[in-house]
Amino acid sequence: MGKTELESGKFDIFNFSPPGPVGARYIQSTAPINLIMGPWGSGKTVATVFKIAYHAASLFPVCRDGAVHVRCAAIRDTYREMAKTALSSWHGFFPKNGPYTRQPVAQNYSGGQDRPVKHILEWKTIRKWPDGPRLTPIILEMEFGAIGEQNLDSFFKGYEISMGWMNECDLLHEDVPGRFYGRTGRFPPRSEIMEWEGDRLGWETDEEAGTSVIKLPRLIMGDYNPPDESNWTYKRHIEEPENWTGYSFFQQPSGLSPQAENRRGKTRADYEAEEKAFGGPTNSEARRNVHGEYAAKKQGTVVYDRFSLHKHRSDSFIEPVRELPFYLGLDAGGTPACGIGQFMPNGQFRGLREIVTTPDTVTGPSRFSEQIMEVLLADFAGMRCGGAWGDPSAWYGADKIRGELAFMETVSLALQIPIIPTESNDLKSRIEAVDWYFGSDIDAVTPRSLWDPRMKHTIRGFVSQYHLTKHASTGKTDSAEIEKNQYSHIQDAWQYLLYGYRGRAAVKRDAAQMGRPANVVPMRSVTARADFDVFKT
């Protein structure tokens, strides 16, 4: 498939060149909601400015007066922030007294100083008419506003627009995209559109009148720097894209990547200096603003700062390789958790499934076993279990004289899978066992671990939620203390799996070698009863 006009750099409206391939695809996209995310200075805002101009000139219909009429609203959280970002970038290319402002200027530019701004542009471009190409006027009305403390319903009520721009959209309420999109398709009025434009745009049925009307283009767009994973953009981009099909996300590469965008505006040396100023590549601010990745809240030191969403999180669901055994890691307690994964012949570990229990109820070993068995029967039936490891403390506390079974003994018996306690419960060793899989890659294209995107608790933990306590983060204690939350139990489960599989000696050796690759530990096989049904015991 060849490059688009934008990707090839030939798109020259107002002599503009896209910041890079990602920016070009974002500009050209006609999806309902288009959001571009990237590091500082990657050209996101400028790309949005020209996305508006590009679609005004090429997408929207010719009206009966012979001109294309487009109205776009740009919104931000406050007017002052709007003036510093979106409006500043807009004026950089379309100044108030510039050649594209419709004349007379006094009637076509108004507002400013902590209040809405309206700027009307006019230029001509070649558009297709039934009798051939014609030089056609484009009249673009830009309205800049800020939501502030206003009620969303009252703020959007008066908008009748063609398209919309959410500047720094992560700072806006999660309901804004839907409300904003609901105001598009209202300008220009359909009664003013040339009827022959229906051949290009298509037709739809007006539900109220029951008549066939021209289908108007509708789109909104947004730009943002990566926030932390609690933001609504993370949920819709990373965790639940299948539930937000109207969204198209465009993620630009790291500012230090060979594929970095907007190199004309910001050099590699600029990003290197910023990374150092932030304290290095693992600092959360550096990960967000230099590398363009979602990163942690400032609540405690993130344990797995080498985990990378774009590298270690699979873009698609991962299914088990049926010819290879699976492995389990289990954490006990009132909210137990289980991780299930496989080791590939090339040494890659694949995290496949997570079983987590809710913190509002205590889950005993019998119910926990049922939850694990449901997953095993659904996704791993007929496959071999290569090994299972758990929290050593979960083998204690039972009254052996009275015949009581400890937590892990009960689970092991129910699953008919031998579960082995790890050699120790040393937290640092367990963490090192997992962190090794986020270090050096197997080769140029193969990360040492890959994780199924459906495991939301696991991935959120890696990104930010599995972190040290504030005391441990600030050095007020010599021990590594983990903040216990709903994400920490599944992290413990993965630690038991990988620490148990690799063994204490290998973990220590690799930590001493600073994570350099080593030989893969041979697989061990224990055959599980695939037809075992915990519900019938």
Side-chain angles (χ1 to χ4, degrees), residues 418-471:
I419 304 174
I420 305 169
T422 53
E423 294 179 67
S424 79
N425 210 0
D426 176 56
L427 178 60
K428 291 184 178 179
S429 296
R430 286 161 38 201
I431 290 173
E432 287 171 354
V434 177
D435 191 55
W436 186 73
Y437 285 91
F438 300 139
S440 58
D441 299 332
I442 294 174
D443 55 43
V445 296
T446 310
R448 194 163 291 281
S449 67
L450 197 62
W451 303 79
D452 190 287
R454 289 171 287 190
M455 300 192 301
K456 297 174 184 177
H457 284 75
T458 294
I459 293 173
R460 276 205 176 196
F462 290 152
V463 172
S464 71
Q465 293 301 316
Y466 189 67
H467 56 83
L468 302 181
T469 62
K470 292 182 179 179
H471 276 76

Side-chain angles (χ1 to χ4, degrees), residues 217-530:
R218 303 179 63 186
L219 70 154
I220 64 171
M221 62 212 80
D223 57 274
Y224 66 111
N225 296 112
D228 63 68
E229 47 73 35
S230 66
N231 191 269
W232 61 267
T233 57
Y234 177 89
K235 182 178 181 179
R236 298 176 192 186
H237 180 197
I238 301 298
E239 289 190 336
E240 300 179 359
E242 67 278 6
N243 296 334
W244 303 92
T245 54
Y247 286 71
S248 287
F249 287 89
F250 300 84
Q251 184 170 359
Q252 294 174 297
S254 164
L256 295 179
S257 166
Q259 291 77 39
E261 303 205 339
N262 195 33
R263 275 288 186 246
R264 294 184 299 274
K266 192 163 184 177
T267 66
R268 180 182 178 87
D270 293 333
Y271 282 114
E272 289 175 342
E274 289 176 356
E275 185 184 69
K276 290 179 181 178
F278 282 129
T282 61
N283 179 277
S284 61
E285 293 298 316
R287 292 180 68 179
R288 276 197 291 265
N289 300 315
V290 175
H291 298 288
E293 298 178 352
Y294 293 99
K297 297 178 182 178
K298 293 182 178 179
Q299 55 187 351
T301 301
V302 174
V303 172
Y304 299 118
D305 55 20
R306 296 196 293 181
F307 174 79
S308 172
L309 267 175
H310 76 270
K311 180 168 68 172
H312 296 113
R313 175 186 176 275
S314 175
D315 292 333
S316 57
F317 296 162
I318 309 176
E319 299 305 326
V321 177
R322 307 203 65 80
E323 294 76 18
L324 298 176
F326 63 87
Y327 296 81
L328 291 85
L330 303 97
D331 181 49
T335 52
C338 175
I340 307 176
Q342 287 185 303
F343 296 90
M344 298 297 103
N346 63 355
Q348 183 187 64
F349 174 72
R350 293 183 179 179
L352 301 177
R353 302 291 184 269
E354 64 177 12
I355 296 101
V356 295
T357 52
T358 57
D360 54 347
T361 58
V362 175
T363 301
S366 296
R367 176 58 186 152
F368 183 45
S369 301
E370 292 174 357
Q371 292 174 328
I372 297 173
M373 184 57 73
E374 287 175 1
V375 176
L376 293 180
L377 291 175
D379 295 337
F380 299 88
M383 294 178 60
R384 294 179 296 118
C385 177
W389 295 270
D391 178 0
S393 65
W395 271 267
Y396 305 110
D399 190 335
K400 300 297 183 182
I401 296 177
R402 294 186 178 183
E404 292 182 359
L405 296 176
F407 188 100
M408 284 299 176
E409 290 175 323
T410 302
V411 175
S412 179
L413 182 63
L415 298 180
Q416 292 290 286
I417 294 175
I419 304 174
I420 305 169
T422 53
E423 294 179 67
S424 79
N425 210 0
D426 176 56
L427 178 60
K428 291 184 178 179
S429 296
R430 286 161 38 201
I431 290 173
E432 287 171 354
V434 177
D435 191 55
W436 186 73
Y437 285 91
F438 300 139
S440 58
D441 299 332
I442 294 174
D443 55 43
V445 296
T446 310
R448 194 163 291 281
S449 67
L450 197 62
W451 303 79
D452 190 287
R454 289 171 287 190
M455 300 192 301
K456 297 174 184 177
H457 284 75
T458 294
I459 293 173
R460 276 205 176 196
F462 290 152
V463 172
S464 71
Q465 293 301 316
Y466 189 67
H467 56 83
L468 302 181
T469 62
K470 292 182 179 179
H471 276 76
S473 297
T474 56
K476 294 182 179 180
T477 175
D478 292 332
S479 61
E481 297 178 355
I482 299 297
E483 188 74 40
K484 288 298 181 181
N485 55 34
Q486 61 180 312
Y487 304 97
S488 61
H489 304 289
I490 187 61
Q491 294 296 327
D492 290 342
W494 292 119
Q495 291 167 14
Y496 292 127
L497 193 164
L498 294 173
Y499 185 46
Y501 177 84
R502 294 180 60 209
R504 188 176 189 178
V507 169
K508 293 297 182 183
R509 182 189 67 242
D510 291 331
Q513 294 174 345
M514 300 181 66
R516 287 194 297 271
N519 291 332
V520 179
V521 179
M523 296 181 184
R524 290 170 294 212
S525 176
V526 179
T527 302
R529 284 174 51 194

Side-chain angles (χ1 to χ4, degrees), residues 123-188:
W123 71 94
K124 291 184 179 181
T125 191
I126 296 176
R127 290 290 296 266
K128 290 183 179 179
W129 287 58
D131 58 354
R134 283 194 199 179
L135 199 60
T136 305
I138 309 296
I139 301 172
L140 170 61
E141 301 177 23
M142 279 299 303
E143 298 178 356
F144 295 86
I147 295 177
E149 301 298 324
Q150 296 184 59
N151 175 275
L152 293 182
D153 288 326
S154 61
F155 178 81
F156 287 115
K157 188 175 182 179
Y159 275 81
E160 293 188 349
I161 57 177
S162 312
M163 55 182 167
W165 173 16
M166 302 176 294
N167 181 233
E168 300 291 349
C169 61
D170 61 303
L171 302 179
L172 300 174
H173 191 276
E174 63 180 336
D175 290 342
V176 167
R179 303 283 180 86
F180 206 17
Y181 183 75
R183 307 310 299 181
T184 62
R186 297 169 181 262
F187 187 87

Side-chain angles (χ1 to χ4, degrees), residues 189-201:
R190 285 184 171 88
S191 60
E192 298 181 8
I193 299 172
M194 291 286 197
E195 188 171 352
W196 48 261
E197 280 283 26
D199 296 334
R200 178 176 67 91
L201 298 173

